[in-house]
Amino acid sequence: MFTLHEIGMNLPFGLLLVDFRGEIQYANPLCETILKLKRPYKKFIQDIFPGSTIIKVIKDGNFEVADYIPNSDICLMSSSLVPGKLGGILFLDKNAYQIFVDNSPRVIDLKQEMEAIMNLSGELVTITNADGIVLRVNNTCEQILGEMESDLVGRAVTALEKNGVINVSSTKHVIQHGRKVTMNQTTKSGRRLMVEGHPIFNSDGTLSKVINISKDVTEIANLQKKLEETKNVLDYYQQELSFLQKTDQEFVVKSKSMEEVYELACRVADVDATIFLNGETGVGKEVLARKIHNLSNRKGAPFIKVNCGAIPESIMESELFGYAKGTFTGGNKDGKKGLALAAHKGTLFLDEIGELPFNLQAKLLQLLQEKQFTPLGETNPVQVDVRFIAATNRNLEDMVKQGTFREDLYYRLFVIPITIPPLFERKEDIPFLINYFLDVFSQKYKLYKTIDKEVVQFFIDYKWKGNVRELQNTIERLVLTAPTQHIELKDLPDKLLKSETKTSEIIRGNLNLKQEVELFEKQIIIQALESSSTMKEASKKLGVDASTITRKVQKYGINVAVLQFRL
């Protein structure tokens, strides 16, 4: 076996090897002379031949003959040697070209090397002459065509077609039309091929050979069919179990309490009954309201939010119910349809419903009961088809007792109540929310940050008075202000650190000996679990039985899933 250098030294033509980027990797002495190259090359083929197609040839696994080099009789032949990675260009004058195609003993060694490369691709390669007689075929022919190489060489492609070895000949089409063809083929064994036929021309423009490269796509076609069937099944289960297939990553469902909330929301999404969302500020009431709308059969219609606490009382009625033409001096001369009408066929989200002025509560009650309202300045009611979702962080029941909220409106709203628990009651969600917000703001600001596991643990232990919104704002601030790519404890705002330190000091000051021992034992178990992949491995490190670790984990309420997330 000859080395590449030995082969290149003795070739009667120039040889240039380039990689998939077009960077020159090797040039034999004759090629160096032709192109005036000096080592190290550090050049790209585009610098020498701007119109070269060798990169495409490498990518496609093709073989082609380009035009002659201007003002010379040198012809370029480009070939993919290792598809997708390496290609070669031969620089042939007329005599060398004839030597090459006539199988001269002077290039026997090179042909042996090319033969080996030809069989590396895994695709079927056949070469015929201008009359369609098979000259060469690589060693995949038996696997793909079901024919031995010796049974193919010397036969006409028309005979192969007639005998059913292939259903249609790409070579015949290339000979007929004198250009490259791409077509589908079926073999006698039922395999499906994607074939590219490439014409090779003599210097006088007459056809010399046809090279066919056939890719077996049988399995691809079968997989596409199975993929389509699987997709149909997945679509069905996605509809049936939509609460497990979250379309909004911000609404994280990892804790048991949030699973129950989300499952209930999915069950009632397509029911037009009014939903009442209750929870502290920042727990995600609007996110859940939008989720319910998107899961319902109204998802193609508008989702209209009315913030009852943000709109001034003086214009609340006109904003919600609209007004007729000429009702107000300085108002819209054509009138205004209002938010209730804008939500027709969709969902009207009444956020902070506890802030709705008392004098408007009766008119809202009419809208909920009769699905109609009368705009200001009008006498005829307007009928609408609206689904209602209301939300508040206030105790409406206490407001009813105090006389600041209508009892009949309260019961009309309180049809399907859903309470979203505060963040400190669903600590399992915190690591996943951190991961989500970190990704969102890294993408938004093009500042790709990572976060230390100590910070994650700090956030899990922290009492989030502002709930998810406070966590979201904190992560955004850290992405923007952390001086390095990796966010550490020292990067946290002083307000957070001081608050947590003060709480820890109070707790530590009230502990007795038994509590101190239990606290220390809990920390030791957590450290062992963090550095282990299984409970059994952690038990070995601590020198106790796995059952003991399991019992202690349950006793101290250690969330193993959260620890695994942090590993």
Side-chain angles (χ1 to χ4, degrees), residues 172-416:
K172 188 170 70 175
H173 282 73
V174 172
I175 294 172
Q176 288 174 351
H177 302 289
R179 57 179 174 78
K180 173 186 171 182
V181 300
T182 301
M183 60 193 309
N184 294 317
Q185 256 181 17
T186 303
T187 70
K188 66 178 181 180
S189 60
R191 304 201 73 80
R192 302 176 204 176
L193 308 178
M194 177 67 73
V195 186
E196 286 188 351
H198 301 265
I200 306 297
F201 297 101
N202 294 314
S203 59
D204 60 2
T206 58
L207 184 66
S208 172
K209 292 180 177 60
V210 178
I211 298 178
N212 293 283
I213 301 174
S214 307
K215 184 176 183 63
D216 189 347
V217 295
T218 308
E219 296 306 321
I220 295 176
N222 291 339
L223 285 172
Q224 285 176 334
K225 183 178 179 182
K226 291 180 180 178
L227 181 63
E228 187 63 31
E229 293 172 352
T230 304
K231 183 178 180 299
N232 292 336
V233 174
L234 285 175
D235 286 344
Y236 169 76
Y237 282 111
Q238 189 170 16
Q239 293 173 4
E240 293 296 311
L241 303 174
S242 57
F243 68 95
L244 294 177
Q245 304 293 328
K246 301 179 293 299
T247 57
D248 186 346
Q249 293 285 336
E250 187 179 351
F251 196 80
V252 171
V253 181
K254 293 297 178 182
S255 61
K256 181 65 176 176
S257 59
M258 287 306 291
E259 282 183 3
E260 292 173 354
V261 167
Y262 196 74
E263 186 175 358
L264 175 57
C266 291
R267 284 205 308 270
V268 301
D270 275 333
V271 180
D272 274 347
T274 301
I275 294 177
F276 182 80
L277 304 179
N278 190 37
E280 295 179 3
T281 299
V283 293
K285 295 187 290 295
E286 182 180 347
V287 174
L288 182 56
R290 290 184 182 274
K291 175 63 65 179
I292 292 170
H293 172 75
N294 291 332
L295 290 172
S296 73
N297 52 21
R298 295 175 178 266
K299 61 184 178 182
F303 175 91
I304 303 297
K305 174 186 175 182
V306 181
N307 191 325
C308 301
I311 302 175
E313 182 176 346
S314 59
I315 63 170
M316 172 62 80
E317 184 174 6
S318 62
E319 287 294 311
L320 184 56
F321 300 111
Y323 54 85
K325 178 179 179 180
T327 303
F328 297 112
T329 301
N332 191 316
K333 64 178 182 178
D334 297 321
K336 186 173 184 177
K337 67 178 183 179
L339 297 173
L341 186 56
H344 184 58
K345 297 293 185 181
T347 300
L348 187 65
F349 176 49
L350 302 165
D351 196 16
E352 303 299 344
I353 190 67
E355 307 299 327
L356 186 70
F358 191 83
N359 63 324
L360 289 182
Q361 292 178 18
K363 197 164 184 177
L364 177 61
L365 179 62
Q366 179 195 15
L367 178 60
L368 266 67
Q369 287 179 331
E370 303 173 14
K371 298 292 182 72
Q372 66 178 25
F373 63 93
T374 304
L376 292 172
E378 293 278 6
T379 56
N380 297 323
V382 176
Q383 198 75 29
V384 290
D385 175 14
V386 174
R387 196 271 180 81
F388 300 96
I389 301 177
T392 186
N393 62 346
R394 300 183 63 178
N395 190 323
L396 292 190
E397 194 171 354
D398 287 346
M399 293 180 65
V400 170
K401 293 177 181 177
Q402 296 165 7
T404 57
F405 200 87
R406 290 180 64 105
E407 186 175 18
D408 48 4
L409 177 57
Y410 169 75
Y411 288 116
R412 177 57 64 177
L413 292 171
F414 211 75
V415 179
I416 303 177

